[in-house]
Amino acid sequence: MVVIRLSRGGAKARPFYNIVVADKRVRRDGRFIERLGFYNPLAKDGEEKLRVAQDRLTYWRGVGAQASPTVERLLKAGVLPATAPAAA
């Protein structure tokens, strides 16, 4: 199964997350298929907090990729632009 999830980067106490498409069996920070964007929870006022390739997110959801619970929560909170679920 293919999943859209966060992959952690950054330093200790300074998290930075890449939004990636990966096989569910691969470890969290391991190999991924495609990087869709990033999420920086500690961004200052002048910095970009989030960037997502909306067209690629729509594509991957359209071909059946499941978003992780954390990514779904960000979608529902409005941090990421919401996309309509693909018709199966």
Side-chain angles (χ1 to χ4, degrees):
M1 176 199 253
V2 177
V3 65
I4 301 168
R5 64 181 176 201
L6 299 176
S7 176
R8 192 182 193 284
K12 187 190 299 187
R14 298 274 309 155
F16 183 88
Y17 299 96
N18 286 307
I19 301 168
V20 299
V21 177
D23 189 311
K24 188 174 179 92
R25 298 169 292 184
V26 177
R27 58 196 165 106
R28 180 191 71 183
D29 299 332
R31 187 180 62 212
F32 58 89
I33 299 169
E34 183 177 352
R35 181 178 178 266
L36 300 180
F38 66 84
Y39 171 59
N40 183 3
L42 300 179
K44 306 244 187 298
D45 291 335
E47 296 176 354
E48 191 173 13
K49 186 170 185 134
L50 172 78
R51 183 183 307 158
V52 179
Q54 185 65 35
D55 58 333
R56 298 306 295 164
L57 179 64
T58 304
Y59 166 77
W60 281 107
R61 291 188 72 140
V63 295
Q66 299 285 319
S68 70
T70 304
V71 172
E72 278 296 328
R73 192 169 57 245
L74 290 173
L75 287 169
K76 288 181 181 167
V79 175
L80 296 177
T83 59

